[in-house]
Amino acid sequence: MTPATPTLPVIRLSLAKDELTLTNERVQKPLSAALLLRGKTLSLSLDILRMLLTLCPEAHAAALTAAARAAGLRDAPDPEALVRRAVVEAVSETVRTAVYDIPRRHGAFRPAADAVRSLRAAHARALADNLSGASEAAFREAVRSALEEDLLCEVTALFNDFVRLPTADAKTLFTVEMLTDDEFALLGRELLDGRLEAPRAAVPGAFARECARQGLAPVFRPKDLFAARLSEVNRWLAGEETRLGALRTLALPSPEAGHGAALSALETARGALFAAVETDGSRIVRAGFLAPTEWSMREDGLPLVWAKHFLAARGDDPRLKERLETLFAAFDPCTDLVWEEGHA
């Protein structure tokens, strides 16, 4: 969670005395990239996404392609290759946030800057080479090198601050599999109509995927969410099964004659990313995206519930804001988090 320019949609936190509030500006207006896709070909749309988006551009490209193909857009390719790129992006994002972004906010830790530079270079080469055998192998080695055990143990220990928080019920966990077809279709129609909020509060991401994969329903705390992200990366490195990159698509009723519409959902590092698209057969007419963040970063979401519990117990902590940022990072370490001016 890095500082952001005030004009960009961010997650805002305001702390006044013992009152903590959260405002998700991201649901107040459509993603600018989505607006720019109108009237564009799919090829140009993918270029726009990769040029404008700083978070998960490959995941957005894969999800949009899957939706466009399901909507009957001519020349839309099979999204399989793009999904592989999105998975590599998700692994890179998970490692970077664990060994650099989170440690950077804590003066006692030295972020693994050199390892992250090597990781970013290997990531870029792998994508430029379309995940050739050699470039993907080099990326995997960069991931292994960045996962320095001592630093990861220290970062994981940060979440011990929250061991006294009440446990959360597994009913809050969310994966792309959990929506019925009717719910999935409704979400797609609402996205095309400009509704940007998730239909309910939920906790997406690696922990939810692992529980779904194993058929588990455990209670959990923030540390479990963070540890699951690292475990998923290690399983990917070992060639073991993960649900990272799981894709779901559904054609929607045609909005008008000659048009097609569809929704896709892709499991990314932070959780399920949704892309809805309407096409006229050759170009995109409308598009909408719903990011994983929007399921959890809400006024009724678990991050704020837990943060208020922590505030009630540790409100006099001189490093309160820093610890709250760590708590929110258990859910989403990538999204911009901004403290309102004039507050603690």
Side-chain angles (χ1 to χ4, degrees), residues 59-87:
H60 281 80
L64 180 68
T65 299
R69 185 179 176 90
L73 186 68
R74 290 189 291 274
D75 301 326
D78 186 315
E80 180 180 358
L82 293 175
V83 170
R84 288 185 61 220
R85 293 169 65 92
V87 169

Side-chain angles (χ1 to χ4, degrees), residues 40 73 75 128 134 137 139 194 225 233 255 264 280 287 300 309 321 337:
K40 307 296 194 301
L73 186 68
D75 301 326
F139 172 73
L225 301 179
V233 168
S264 72
D280 62 5
D300 59 347
H309 275 284
K321 187 167 73 171
L337 179 68

Side-chain angles (χ1 to χ4, degrees), residues 9-329:
V10 294
I11 308 297
R12 293 192 179 275
L13 290 174
S14 176
L15 181 61
K17 297 183 179 179
D18 58 351
E19 184 66 25
L20 180 67
T21 58
L22 179 151
T23 304
N24 186 347
E25 295 181 345
R26 295 154 53 98
V27 303
Q28 297 172 0
K29 58 183 179 180
L31 187 70
S32 58
L35 297 177
L36 289 173
L37 304 188
R38 295 175 177 176
K40 307 296 194 301
T41 63
L42 177 61
S43 176
L44 180 55
S45 296
L46 299 185
D47 289 341
I48 289 171
L49 291 177
R50 290 178 173 128
M51 178 178 65
L52 293 183
L53 297 182
T54 57
L55 284 180
C56 309
E58 294 299 328
H60 281 80
L64 180 68
T65 299
R69 185 179 176 90
L73 186 68
R74 290 189 291 274
D75 301 326
D78 186 315
E80 180 180 358
L82 293 175
V83 170
R84 288 185 61 220
R85 293 169 65 92
V87 169
V88 165
E89 174 183 73
V91 170
S92 181
E93 175 186 292
T94 298
V95 176
R96 186 202 74 241
T97 56
V99 304
Y100 185 80
D101 291 357
I102 296 176
R104 185 167 54 109
R105 294 195 300 273
H106 295 268
F109 295 155
R110 181 177 180 180
D114 290 342
V116 168
R117 277 192 289 269
S118 297
L119 179 67
R120 284 175 170 163
H123 179 197
R125 284 194 299 271
L127 295 187
D129 291 344
N130 291 317
L131 299 181
S132 67
S135 65
E136 184 172 346
F139 172 73
R140 287 175 178 270
E141 185 54 39
V143 170
R144 291 188 184 93
S145 297
L147 293 174
E148 201 278 311
E149 185 174 355
D150 289 344
L151 176 59
L152 289 176
C153 287
E154 291 180 326
V155 175
T156 302
L158 290 173
F159 294 91
N160 291 338
D161 282 335
F162 314 113
V163 295
R164 296 188 182 277
L165 289 178
T167 55
D169 192 285
K171 292 178 182 178
T172 63
L173 298 176
F174 176 75
T175 71
V176 297
E177 306 165 339
M178 294 180 180
L179 294 176
T180 66
D181 282 350
D182 287 344
E183 291 171 327
F184 199 55
L186 177 61
L187 194 154
R189 291 194 297 272
E190 290 184 338
L191 266 181
L192 289 177
D193 288 340
R195 180 179 172 85
L196 304 174
E197 293 183 275
R200 63 176 184 271
V203 180
F207 187 75
R209 287 192 290 268
E210 180 61 9
C211 289
R213 187 181 73 85
Q214 294 195 32
L216 301 176
V219 295
F220 60 94
R221 289 189 172 92
K223 189 173 185 177
D224 299 307
L225 301 179
F226 178 75
R229 290 168 66 93
L230 298 179
S231 295
E232 187 171 65
V233 168
N234 283 317
R235 286 197 307 278
W236 177 82
L237 282 172
E240 298 172 0
E241 180 192 5
T242 76
R243 297 285 177 89
L244 185 61
L247 178 67
R248 179 179 177 183
T249 60
L250 181 70
L252 302 174
S254 178
E256 64 178 87
H259 286 203
L263 174 69
S264 72
L266 177 70
E267 287 287 357
T268 73
R270 295 175 290 155
L273 170 70
F274 294 81
V277 66
E278 177 187 346
T279 84
D280 62 5
S282 60
R283 294 177 184 271
I284 291 172
V285 176
R286 289 184 295 170
F289 297 95
L290 179 66
T293 302
E294 275 49 271
W295 295 87
S296 58
M297 298 296 183
R298 304 161 45 114
E299 292 181 0
D300 59 347
L302 182 59
L304 189 60
V305 170
W306 268 345
K308 288 180 175 180
H309 275 284
F310 189 80
L311 178 62
R314 303 272 294 273
D316 58 350
D317 192 319
R319 298 171 66 185
L320 175 66
K321 187 167 73 171
E322 181 181 288
R323 299 194 196 285
L324 288 176
E325 288 184 3
T326 299
L327 172 60
F328 280 91

